[in-house]
Amino acid sequence: MSEDANRPEIRLPAQAYQPLPPGEEYQPAVPADVQMPELTIRSLIVGIATGILFGAANAYLALKVGLTVSASIPAAVIAVAIFRATGRGTLLETNMVQTIGSSGDSLAAGVIFTIPVLYLWGETPGFWPIFPLSILGGLLGILFMIPLRRLLIVREHGRLTYPEGTACAEVQVAAQGRGRQAQLLFTGMGIGAIYTALERFAHLWPAEVDIAINRLGFRTSVGADVTPELLGVGYIIGPQIAAVMLAGGAVGWLVIIPLIYLFGSAAGVPIAPELTTPIAQMDSFTIWSRYLRYIGAGAVAFGGLFTLIKSAPTLWESVRVALAGLRQRTGRTSVARTDEDLPFSLVLAGLIATGLLVAFLPLRTGGPLGIPAGIAVVVFSFFFVTVSSRIVGLIGSSSNPISGMTIATVLICALLFGQAYSPAEAKIAVLTIGALVCIAAAMAGDTSQDLKTGFLLGASPRNQQIGEIIAIVATALVMSTVMELFRADIVAGNFKAPQANLIKLVIEGVLGGNLPWGLVLTGIALAGCVEMMGLPTLAFAVGLYLPIHLAVPIMVGGLIRLFVERRKGGFSHQLERGVLYASGLIAGAALMGVVAAIITFFQLPLFQGTAPAPSQWLIAAIAFSLLSGSLWRVCKR
């Protein structure tokens, strides 16, 4: 008889989706006094294999189009399928598989967004320095999240929703269930998968709708990425954050881009920082890439800094409690399984050792990085780990502006350390600092979602943290091989590598003295105005940094949730049904995204076809309307 047969049905309580009254503690799906296999050999093997596969596939996608596919939900679904087929495996083992497996794509994103710059500079990095950079950056992201867990995951429960983490918990709970809960979620998964397959493989409609506007001197474009995962994320995060994010996108695409066209089109020559193409000949996405992203990067930097300043008292209290616990460790009683982290002494020692290894990390052109640069890496990593976790808690991992944080890091470090190295070493040193911070921020976002999933399910944070560390070692071992496979395409320009090219431009711009500071300071000023209005600055900054096409479907999901809340008066059974179905949409679309990534990575001759014409935007709008309508119908029941 399989383990599933005698296992009682588990479900998430209603408190999983809302803030708790003062003094009340969240009771997870698996209570703290229940012992269940979690960090086992089979969960490690399946998790590592899944992480390596998703890491390689996401490396290809990130280089090709600048996007990655979140592996948390697909890894959980794969674990459920494998464990059910073998008749073994518990809910917490499934969660361990997704914890380990999802680390692969996050580590890949941090590496791919930065390391290709070395290729573009004519360098030939191999196992060194890709492996040590991956390990050290990943450790910084994980270790800093350990003392922050109680602050961001536990105390902010219900306020920081961590949509992918919540969706992943729903997937795993429903997968072991046998009632309507599982049926509703898997219906959403099926619809999300079919919708994505029809778009990606059958090419019935474009994934992105873009409509150019050029009337009465007002020139821009608007549209939407009509995808199930963005609709589901919008429903889970709710209308307020979605609206602020859309406001940021609207300021960028309906105010700033038209103004750039209006005042820049009269010039028949390129305007810095662009060097080759006049503004009149650019489309709106080129304007966004050449100008608006600098403004967005400045806004993200300000929003992150101000968020950290506002959180300083709570952060200090968290550190103080951790230090007090360290001093009293000899006489303390046992900690509940669901609240046990890795020992703070081990975390502190790990951070010190990592910082020292960073400081003495040899550059490819000469001596070590240096102690001042090592301190900068640790400080910036702590800052952006906190920012990254809050961003993914507000609006999800798919909208986490890792490249914006990296740009802010290389901006400041190029100014601070540009003259501390020889001209040949300066670029490499600044990129090394940026790469470490980028990897740390990417890993922090993934670790936050994983810890949120574990918090909702009743996993042991300590076991999850061990699993994350094992995962980065395994994935880092293969990243140098993957990068070498893609090196020729990067150098030849067959891969766009958009983040790497932008970071290269920033480093060269600062060190060469030609960075468009006016654009960066404009973003800082905009974010400051938003902060004075009392709005969530980070959500606005993310909306400004990313194309508006991502914010539109998120707003649609948020509006559907708003209608449900107004109709039912707050949290209700209908709202929970919507969260389940939205989680299914995210899971189904993510699975198809991974399938597409695997097909593309291995260059399999499958699903070859003509891409849909832009004129098919009406078909895309109809398809997305039907998809949104299905979510609304689920919530009405």
Side-chain angles (χ1 to χ4, degrees):
M1 181 178 294
S2 70
E3 295 180 11
D4 286 339
N6 297 322
R7 187 184 304 136
E9 184 171 1
I10 303 172
R11 64 181 300 168
L12 292 182
Q15 289 81 5
Y17 314 104
Q18 55 190 355
L20 299 175
E24 182 176 336
E25 294 185 0
Y26 172 76
Q27 301 301 319
V30 180
D33 58 352
V34 173
Q35 298 297 320
M36 184 180 291
E38 184 173 5
L39 185 60
T40 61
I41 296 297
R42 61 184 173 222
S43 65
L44 283 174
I45 293 174
V46 177
I48 290 172
T50 305
I52 291 173
L53 176 64
F54 289 159
N58 275 293
Y60 181 90
L61 285 181
L63 287 171
K64 194 75 174 179
V65 296
L67 297 174
T68 58
V69 178
S70 176
S72 295
I73 294 173
V77 174
I78 289 174
V80 169
I82 291 176
F83 291 158
R84 281 194 177 277
T86 59
R88 300 176 65 83
T90 67
L91 173 65
L92 296 187
E93 283 181 297
T94 302
N95 184 61
M96 183 57 62
V97 170
Q98 75 82 21
T99 297
I100 296 173
S102 63
S103 298
D105 73 277
S106 297
L107 184 64
V111 171
I112 295 301
F113 288 173
T114 54
I115 300 300
V117 178
L118 292 174
Y119 295 137
L120 299 174
W121 282 336
E123 300 286 335
T124 57
F127 181 82
W128 190 276
I130 297 176
F131 178 75
L133 286 177
S134 302
I135 293 292
L136 295 175
L139 282 175
L140 286 171
I142 294 170
L143 293 176
F144 273 130
M145 271 307 304
I146 293 174
L148 292 173
R149 182 188 66 86
R150 288 190 179 91
L151 166 66
L152 299 177
I153 307 298
V154 179
R155 296 189 187 181
E156 295 291 327
H157 174 63
R159 288 177 288 272
L160 293 176
T161 60
Y162 293 98
E164 284 93 349
T166 301
C168 192
E170 288 285 8
V171 167
Q172 295 179 76
V173 168
Q176 59 79 44
R178 295 175 291 277
R180 293 182 179 179
Q181 188 183 33
Q183 180 182 359
L184 185 63
L185 186 133
F186 283 111
T187 299
M189 286 182 60
I191 292 177
I194 292 172
Y195 181 101
T196 305
L198 292 175
E199 174 264 308
R200 292 200 176 193
F201 302 145
H203 304 293
L204 295 185
W205 58 81
E208 182 179 81
V209 174
D210 183 60
I211 303 175
I213 301 174
N214 190 4
R215 301 290 294 267
L216 302 175
F218 185 85
R219 183 180 174 187
T220 187
S221 70
V222 294
D225 282 10
V226 286
T227 60
E229 60 267 34
L230 292 178
L231 177 69
V233 166
Y235 184 90
I236 292 173
I237 68 175
Q240 181 181 7
I241 298 300
V244 175
M245 184 177 176
L246 180 60
V251 168
W253 288 71
L254 300 181
V255 178
I256 296 176
I257 287 181
L259 286 175
I260 292 175
Y261 273 125
L262 182 64
F263 294 108
S265 295
V269 296
I271 298 178
E274 173 60 24
L275 301 176
T276 60
T277 307
I279 287 177
Q281 299 177 16
M282 295 181 181
D283 60 22
S284 56
F285 277 94
T286 306
I287 296 288
W288 166 75
S289 177
R290 300 293 190 270
Y291 301 98
L292 185 55
R293 290 184 77 177
Y294 286 107
I295 299 175
V300 169
F302 176 89
L305 178 61
F306 213 85
T307 298
L308 191 63
I309 292 173
K310 290 192 297 184
S311 303
T314 311
L315 288 171
W316 170 247
E317 176 65 15
S318 180
V319 173
R320 188 192 66 78
V321 171
L323 290 172
L326 179 62
R327 290 192 296 268
Q328 301 169 4
R329 65 188 182 278
T330 54
R332 67 180 299 183
T333 58
S334 60
V335 179
R337 178 186 61 82
T338 55
D339 196 40
E340 182 183 9
D341 293 298
L342 284 174
F344 185 74
S345 57
L346 180 62
V347 173
L348 186 61
L351 287 171
I352 293 173
T354 303
L356 290 174
L357 288 172
V358 167
F360 291 100
L361 185 70
L363 299 173
R364 292 181 59 82
T365 54
L369 192 62
I371 292 179
I375 295 174
V377 168
V378 173
V379 171
F380 278 110
S381 294
F382 172 71
F383 170 50
F384 283 124
V385 159
T386 307
V387 172
S388 178
S389 181
R390 283 193 172 273
I391 287 179
V392 301
L394 287 170
I395 56 180
S397 298
S398 58
S399 299
N400 192 7
I402 297 298
S403 56
M405 301 178 197
T406 309
I407 290 170
T409 300
V410 298
L411 276 173
I412 298 173
C413 290
L415 292 172
L416 292 177
F417 304 113
Q419 304 302 318
Y421 302 91
S422 67
E425 290 183 338
K427 294 192 301 183
I428 304 297
V430 172
L431 176 65
T432 299
I433 297 171
L436 289 166
V437 173
C438 180
I439 295 169
M443 285 301 304
D446 171 75
T447 302
S448 298
Q449 298 285 9
D450 293 339
L451 291 175
K452 180 65 173 183
T453 303
F455 174 75
L456 296 176
L457 294 179
S460 166
R462 178 179 180 274
N463 286 337
Q464 285 190 284
Q465 291 151 9
I466 294 173
E468 296 272 6
I469 293 173
I470 294 173
I472 64 169
V473 175
T475 307
L477 284 171
V478 302
M479 283 311 298
S480 57
T481 301
V482 171
M483 289 291 293
E484 183 62 26
L485 291 174
F486 296 149
R487 182 170 66 87
D489 285 318
I490 295 171
V491 175
N494 297 330
F495 285 154
K496 296 179 181 178
Q499 287 85 358
N501 276 283
L502 181 59
I503 290 169
K504 171 179 175 288
L505 183 66
V506 170
I507 293 175
E508 293 175 345
V510 174
L511 296 179
N514 55 4
L515 186 76
W517 280 107
L519 298 176
V520 176
L521 294 174
T522 298
I524 293 175
L526 277 173
C529 293
V530 171
E531 183 65 39
M532 286 187 283
M533 290 186 284
L535 298 174
T537 309
L538 276 177
F540 176 87
V542 170
L544 182 63
Y545 179 78
L546 298 173
I548 193 175
H549 304 65
L550 297 176
V552 169
I554 291 176
M555 188 71 244
V556 173
L559 287 175
I560 294 175
R561 176 160 178 164
L562 176 64
F563 295 151
V564 174
E565 291 175 345
R566 293 285 178 87
R567 190 168 180 257
K568 298 297 180 180
F571 189 86
S572 63
H573 174 66
Q574 284 76 11
L575 182 58
E576 181 182 1
R577 287 173 58 87
V579 172
L580 275 170
Y581 187 78
S583 301
L585 292 178
I586 296 173
L591 280 174
M592 284 297 102
V594 170
V595 170
I598 293 172
I599 291 172
T600 304
F601 177 75
F602 291 105
Q603 298 183 355
L604 300 178
L606 301 176
F607 307 114
Q608 300 292 332
T610 304
S615 59
Q616 291 181 279
W617 64 267
L618 182 58
I619 300 176
I622 294 173
F624 190 72
S625 298
L626 293 174
L627 182 69
S628 303
S630 70
L631 176 58
W632 171 242
R633 286 192 296 273
V634 165
C635 298
K636 286 177 62 179
R637 297 176 185 174

